[in-house]
Amino acid sequence: MLRARTVSDKDSRRQELLDAALDEFFERGFSAARMEDIAKRAGLSKGTLYLYFDSKDALFKAIIDALATPNLEVISAIATSAPSFSEALDRVAVFAPTVIRTSKLPRLMKVIVGDSHTFPEILIEYRQNILDRILGLFGELLSQAKAAGEIEVEDPYLAARIVMGPMLLSGLWHALFSDTPGGEVDLEKLFRMHASAMKKAFAPVENSQ
Amino acid sequence: MLRARTVSDKDSRRQELLDAALDEFFERGFSAARMEDIAKRAGLSKGTLYLYFDSKDALFKAIIDALATPNLEVISAIATSAPSFSEALDRVAVFAPTVIRTSKLPRLMKVIVGDSHTFPEILIEYRQNILDRILGLFGELLSQAKAAGEIEVEDPYLAARIVMGPMLLSGLWHALFSDTPGGEVDLEKLFRMHASAMKKAFAPVENSQ
Amino acid sequence: MLRARTVSDKDSRRQELLDAALDEFFERGFSAARMEDIAKRAGLSKGTLYLYFDSKDALFKAIIDALATPNLEVISAIATSAPSFSEALDRVAVFAPTVIRTSKLPRLMKVIVGDSHTFPEILIEYRQNILDRILGLFGELLSQAKAAGEIEVEDPYLAARIVMGPMLLSGLWHALFSDTPGGEVDLEKLFRMHASAMKKAFAPVENSQ
Amino acid sequence: MLRARTVSDKDSRRQELLDAALDEFFERGFSAARMEDIAKRAGLSKGTLYLYFDSKDALFKAIIDALATPNLEVISAIATSAPSFSEALDRVAVFAPTVIRTSKLPRLMKVIVGDSHTFPEILIEYRQNILDRILGLFGELLSQAKAAGEIEVEDPYLAARIVMGPMLLSGLWHALFSDTPGGEVDLEKLFRMHASAMKKAFAPVENSQ
DNA sequence: TATGAATGAGTCTTCATTCAT
DNA sequence: GATGAATGAAGACTCATTCAT
């Protein structure tokens, strides 16, 4: 392989390694993934991989770091920019299928679920920094919608789990089964139904006298 | 260790090994789990473990076999015995927290998600025999409720994923985080809200003239 | 298995175990042979085998002991009872094919060649007590025939190796190849030719003027 | 250990490993030989051995492959280049002692006899490709000599076994006993006698009127 | 920087041997 | 005496990591 001379060369090579690693971790699991395979997948040799990451552990952590924040931001953008709960659900219905199909998020979810045990402290950190944040955003959204009289809900932060549940299910399902016969799901239709269902689920009770 | 002489001795020892294995696979992942640790957790030696299971692979498959069907049946019982969709949701609200807290199902879910790659064929089989079945049961339930005019829903079998989503989320969450500070969730409240939300989500539109 | 009550019961059971062990050692080699398989082959359990032989090593040694002397005696009988070298060869021609085909000798030869390294001291002992003895008997036979003017030979004890060579070859060949296609040898014909060839090989030079 | 960088470095290291493996297989038998000992004997570590051979099995097969053909060729050269049976025997008398004392052939013979059971298919192949070929060469030699009136023999291809027998005996004997007291054999003398004995054994009957 | 040869700790699996029943 | 469950030492093989080139 040619040498990476410039800083941006190094950055892009680093990124290729992260991508390759996520793929291998996803396909084989952290323990079973081989450093040499990761390097090869990125078109490099085993030794070179170690110029970029000190260890397999470091590689794992780097993946989490590299993906957690951006993903959080995307989701955050959807949740916070929407003027209403209803509008947020519509945006989810539009974006979720694409995110599930094209982003690394579903693969990352699978890796985190599957290999979390390797670094318990990372798992806790991840939950606090990412998952709690995301649930908090949706909880906040519901909370504000409730305050605005848009919806009626007992505990907005718990309700966020009801809203997010189908997304997790769809993401993991896609990661695990999308390429097996009978494993395809019509995500567009599903999330259209999801938006509509959630709107009705939390709609204020009509007291129309 | 005392000797297992009778058939039932051997059965119970086999069961202890399966339990120990699920725990180890759950805590460390299939690859990283050590046969010796599994044996020790069951109070036996490495060699003895091999009297009961031919290999690590066989142990993994035995876990799936031993747990898949019973779990399917429990869920099936809830879904099919209910006289209505509404009643089924109420039952889920009652049982789900207990199942999530006390059964092996959440740990099994985590293991299957995390180590699915080890035996791709098992994963597919599991999806077809268990997951598709469960989703199918709920889909059927929704379908019948729709036919009975109890609910209004575009695609009952897709809607089943909306209903199941929060269960998966709660199960995995419990498996991963229930023992970490801040990871507890009020499952009773959550599933009460879930039942109520789902009832409203698919309630027929009131045409109140 | 029924208990061996009488002394002769025990003897015959011991013999069955020795036979089974020779078979397994022959088929798998000493290292790879499993005590359990030996026991099963004799219709007994692993534990019972240890009532008769203290260890795998002891079993190996017992085989040598049990077979070495009788075999030596049979050969000795042929070599010493013959009134002449010529007559001895004729008897070999008659007996060798049967011995090769039906006795344990060829299998024993293979085991000794193959697993001798396990017990170097046994190998040396075996050479001295059995092989040197057999070669010595034939050497003696040749020596006497030379003294009697029946044959002409430079070194009778070395010549014995020329006479014995084809027997070893045929024995090992039979042990290794007799049951594979194309591995059969017409032993009767071979040893008839052998007898005739050896008679001529060592015949005194005719100085018939 | 220094690194093998060039192709020829790797070739020679491979050869060292083959030599070490033959030694270990010869001394301990295939089953009992330890990969680590083989590696150490070649001055390498266990892991490095696996860079050159995929498995213990592969190592065994590689030994056969590496030695079978060259040995066949040497023998073939002696057998086919001789102008007469008599001349061939004289050449054998010259070469056999050296081959037995210095080549790997006797050790290989012992390994093949002793560990044949490990790979039955290799054994059959070896018999067909090497042993049958060698016996065939000598058979052919005898056959031509017979046609030329040099010798008189009923079945030249069977007679080859009579000629070869002492070579096998001497080879195995040397491999097993040459380094034990009393195990030395005067090979030069033996093969001189062998040549002379075989010439006489198959000499045409003098019909001297 | 980049490479891949070398290493050895770590893990699955086998099996001789023991011993409770 | 007979059995086979239990044990743990031993060995094949893998792979993260190092480092000479």
Side-chain angles (χ1 to χ4, degrees):
Chain A
M1 196 63 178
L2 284 178
R3 297 195 178 188
R5 244 177 263 274
T6 68
V7 171
S8 91
D9 275 357
K10 290 194 65 174
D11 278 358
S12 80
R13 191 156 291 184
R14 207 184 124 88
Q15 188 53 51
E16 282 159 22
L17 282 168
L18 286 174
D19 289 350
L22 176 60
D23 286 347
E24 290 290 330
F25 289 161
F26 171 67
E27 287 176 14
R28 297 213 191 297
F30 178 78
S31 250
R34 298 170 65 252
M35 290 296 267
E36 181 152 24
D37 290 339
I38 293 171
K40 244 177 217 148
R41 194 166 198 142
L44 295 172
S45 74
K46 204 179 2 165
T48 308
L49 169 50
Y50 279 89
L51 296 176
Y52 290 83
F53 299 95
D54 284 346
S55 66
K56 204 181 183 183
D57 288 14
L59 193 46
F60 187 86
K61 293 179 181 176
I63 289 177
I64 307 285
D65 286 347
L67 292 181
T69 315
N71 277 313
L72 176 61
E73 277 163 10
V74 169
I75 292 167
S76 173
I78 295 176
T80 58
S81 72
S84 67
F85 177 57
S86 167
E87 175 64 20
L89 286 170
D90 289 339
R91 291 188 187 181
V92 165
V94 170
F95 288 115
T98 309
V99 169
I100 288 174
R101 282 212 200 82
T102 64
S103 84
K104 292 164 191 162
L105 195 53
R107 267 161 29 246
L108 178 66
M109 281 166 45
K110 190 267 185 185
V111 166
I112 288 174
V113 169
D115 293 316
S116 52
H117 44 74
T118 316
F119 307 102
E121 75 286 2
I122 288 193
L123 182 61
I124 294 183
E125 200 186 303
Y126 184 81
R127 176 176 67 70
Q128 294 171 338
N129 292 346
I130 310 300
L131 301 182
D132 284 357
R133 202 87 65 94
I134 293 177
L135 285 170
L137 286 168
F138 273 83
E140 191 63 24
L141 187 65
L142 283 154
S143 193
Q144 289 168 359
K146 181 184 181 184
E150 184 190 354
I151 65 171
E152 194 161 280
V153 59
E154 184 184 350
D155 182 334
Y157 292 90
L158 263 188
R161 289 170 191 260
I162 295 173
V163 178
M164 300 294 300
M167 301 185 197
L168 175 76
L169 173 58
S170 300
L172 280 181
W173 189 280
H174 184 267
L176 297 177
F177 304 125
S178 67
D179 55 354
T180 62
E184 316 84 5
V185 173
D186 184 341
L187 292 172
E188 276 74 16
K189 193 176 182 186
L190 175 61
F191 280 95
R192 235 185 299 119
M193 288 174 59
H194 175 255
S196 136
M198 291 303 121
K199 287 177 200 171
K200 285 178 65 185
F202 299 109
V205 177
E206 310 281 340
N207 229 2
S208 55
Q209 259 81 14
Chain B
M1 196 58 183
L2 282 179
R3 303 206 173 176
R5 254 159 315 109
T6 69
V7 170
S8 94
D9 276 356
K10 295 190 73 173
D11 277 358
S12 78
R13 189 151 292 184
R14 202 186 129 90
Q15 189 53 53
E16 282 159 24
L17 283 167
L18 286 174
D19 289 351
L22 177 60
D23 286 347
E24 290 289 330
F25 289 160
F26 171 68
E27 287 177 13
R28 298 213 192 294
F30 178 79
S31 258
R34 295 170 65 251
M35 290 297 266
E36 183 151 24
D37 289 340
I38 293 171
K40 254 182 207 139
R41 194 186 270 252
L44 296 171
S45 75
K46 202 183 359 164
T48 307
L49 169 49
Y50 279 91
L51 295 178
Y52 290 84
F53 299 95
D54 283 346
S55 66
K56 203 180 183 182
D57 287 15
L59 191 47
F60 187 86
K61 292 180 181 176
I63 289 176
I64 307 285
D65 286 347
L67 292 181
T69 314
N71 279 313
L72 175 60
E73 277 161 12
V74 168
I75 293 166
S76 173
I78 295 175
T80 57
S81 71
S84 67
F85 177 58
S86 168
E87 174 65 20
L89 286 171
D90 289 338
R91 292 187 186 183
V92 165
V94 170
F95 287 115
T98 309
V99 169
I100 288 174
R101 282 211 200 84
T102 65
S103 83
K104 292 165 189 161
L105 195 53
R107 278 178 358 263
L108 178 66
M109 281 166 44
K110 189 269 186 184
V111 167
I112 288 176
V113 169
D115 293 316
S116 53
H117 43 74
T118 315
F119 306 102
E121 75 287 2
I122 288 193
L123 182 61
I124 294 183
E125 201 187 299
Y126 183 81
R127 176 175 68 68
Q128 294 172 339
N129 292 344
I130 308 299
L131 300 183
D132 285 357
R133 202 88 64 94
I134 293 177
L135 285 171
L137 286 168
F138 274 83
E140 190 62 25
L141 187 66
L142 284 154
S143 193
Q144 287 167 359
K146 181 183 181 184
E150 184 191 354
I151 64 171
E152 195 160 277
V153 61
E154 185 184 348
D155 181 334
Y157 293 90
L158 263 188
R161 287 168 192 261
I162 295 173
V163 177
M164 300 293 302
M167 301 185 198
L168 174 74
L169 173 58
S170 300
L172 280 181
W173 189 279
H174 183 267
L176 297 177
F177 304 124
S178 67
D179 56 354
T180 63
E184 315 84 3
V185 173
D186 184 340
L187 292 172
E188 276 74 16
K189 194 177 183 184
L190 175 61
F191 278 96
R192 236 186 297 120
M193 288 173 59
H194 175 256
S196 137
M198 290 302 120
K199 287 178 199 169
K200 286 177 66 184
F202 299 110
V205 176
E206 309 283 338
N207 233 1
S208 54
Q209 274 86 7
Chain C
M1 197 63 180
L2 283 179
R3 297 194 177 188
R5 245 175 261 273
T6 69
V7 171
S8 92
D9 275 357
K10 290 193 66 172
D11 277 357
S12 81
R13 191 157 290 185
R14 206 184 126 88
Q15 189 53 51
E16 282 159 22
L17 282 167
L18 286 174
D19 288 351
L22 177 60
D23 286 346
E24 290 290 330
F25 289 160
F26 171 67
E27 287 177 15
R28 297 213 191 297
F30 178 79
S31 250
R34 299 169 64 252
M35 291 296 267
E36 180 151 24
D37 289 340
I38 292 170
K40 244 177 217 148
R41 194 165 197 141
L44 295 173
S45 74
K46 205 181 356 165
T48 308
L49 170 49
Y50 279 88
L51 296 176
Y52 291 83
F53 299 95
D54 283 347
S55 66
K56 202 181 185 183
D57 287 13
L59 192 46
F60 188 86
K61 292 179 182 176
I63 289 176
I64 307 285
D65 286 347
L67 292 180
T69 315
N71 277 312
L72 175 61
E73 276 163 11
V74 169
I75 292 167
S76 173
I78 295 176
T80 57
S81 72
S84 68
F85 177 59
S86 168
E87 176 64 19
L89 286 171
D90 289 338
R91 293 186 187 184
V92 165
V94 171
F95 287 115
T98 308
V99 169
I100 288 175
R101 283 212 199 81
T102 65
S103 83
K104 292 164 191 162
L105 196 53
R107 272 170 14 254
L108 178 66
M109 281 166 45
K110 189 268 187 185
V111 167
I112 288 175
V113 169
D115 292 316
S116 53
H117 42 74
T118 315
F119 307 101
E121 76 287 1
I122 287 192
L123 182 61
I124 294 183
E125 200 187 301
Y126 183 81
R127 176 176 66 70
Q128 293 171 339
N129 293 345
I130 309 297
L131 301 183
D132 285 357
R133 201 88 64 92
I134 293 177
L135 284 171
L137 285 169
F138 273 83
E140 191 63 23
L141 187 67
L142 283 153
S143 193
Q144 287 168 0
K146 181 182 181 185
E150 184 190 354
I151 65 172
E152 195 160 279
V153 59
E154 185 183 349
D155 181 335
Y157 292 90
L158 263 188
R161 288 169 191 260
I162 296 173
V163 178
M164 299 294 300
M167 301 186 197
L168 175 74
L169 173 58
S170 300
L172 280 181
W173 189 279
H174 184 266
L176 297 179
F177 305 124
S178 67
D179 56 354
T180 63
E184 315 84 4
V185 174
D186 184 340
L187 292 173
E188 276 74 15
K189 192 176 184 186
L190 176 60
F191 279 96
R192 238 186 296 120
M193 289 174 59
H194 175 256
S196 136
M198 291 303 119
K199 287 177 199 170
K200 285 178 65 185
F202 299 109
V205 176
E206 311 280 340
N207 230 359
S208 56
Q209 257 80 17
Chain D
M1 195 58 183
L2 282 179
R3 304 206 172 176
R5 252 159 315 109
T6 68
V7 170
S8 95
D9 277 355
K10 295 190 74 172
D11 277 358
S12 79
R13 188 150 294 183
R14 203 185 128 91
Q15 189 53 53
E16 283 159 22
L17 283 167
L18 285 173
D19 290 350
L22 176 59
D23 286 346
E24 289 289 330
F25 289 160
F26 170 68
E27 287 177 14
R28 300 213 191 294
F30 178 79
S31 257
R34 297 170 64 252
M35 290 297 267
E36 182 151 25
D37 289 341
I38 293 171
K40 253 180 209 141
R41 195 186 269 250
L44 296 171
S45 73
K46 198 184 3 162
T48 307
L49 170 49
Y50 280 91
L51 295 177
Y52 290 83
F53 299 95
D54 284 345
S55 66
K56 203 180 183 183
D57 287 14
L59 191 47
F60 187 87
K61 292 180 181 176
I63 289 176
I64 307 285
D65 286 347
L67 292 181
T69 314
N71 278 315
L72 175 60
E73 276 162 12
V74 168
I75 292 167
S76 173
I78 295 176
T80 57
S81 72
S84 67
F85 177 59
S86 166
E87 174 66 19
L89 286 170
D90 289 338
R91 292 186 188 183
V92 164
V94 170
F95 288 115
T98 309
V99 169
I100 288 174
R101 281 209 202 82
T102 64
S103 83
K104 293 165 190 161
L105 194 53
R107 271 169 17 252
L108 178 65
M109 281 166 45
K110 189 267 184 185
V111 167
I112 287 175
V113 169
D115 292 316
S116 54
H117 43 76
T118 314
F119 306 101
E121 77 285 1
I122 287 192
L123 182 62
I124 293 182
E125 200 188 301
Y126 185 80
R127 176 176 67 70
Q128 294 171 338
N129 292 345
I130 308 296
L131 301 183
D132 285 357
R133 201 88 65 93
I134 292 176
L135 284 171
L137 285 168
F138 273 83
E140 190 63 23
L141 187 67
L142 283 154
S143 192
Q144 286 168 0
K146 182 183 180 184
E150 185 191 353
I151 65 171
E152 195 159 279
V153 60
E154 185 184 351
D155 181 335
Y157 292 90
L158 263 188
R161 288 169 191 261
I162 295 172
V163 178
M164 300 293 301
M167 301 185 198
L168 175 74
L169 173 59
S170 301
L172 279 181
W173 189 279
H174 184 266
L176 296 177
F177 305 123
S178 67
D179 55 355
T180 63
E184 316 83 3
V185 173
D186 184 341
L187 292 172
E188 275 73 15
K189 193 175 183 186
L190 175 60
F191 280 96
R192 237 186 297 120
M193 289 174 58
H194 175 256
S196 136
M198 292 301 121
K199 287 178 200 170
K200 286 178 65 185
F202 300 110
V205 177
E206 309 282 339
N207 233 358
S208 56
Q209 269 85 7

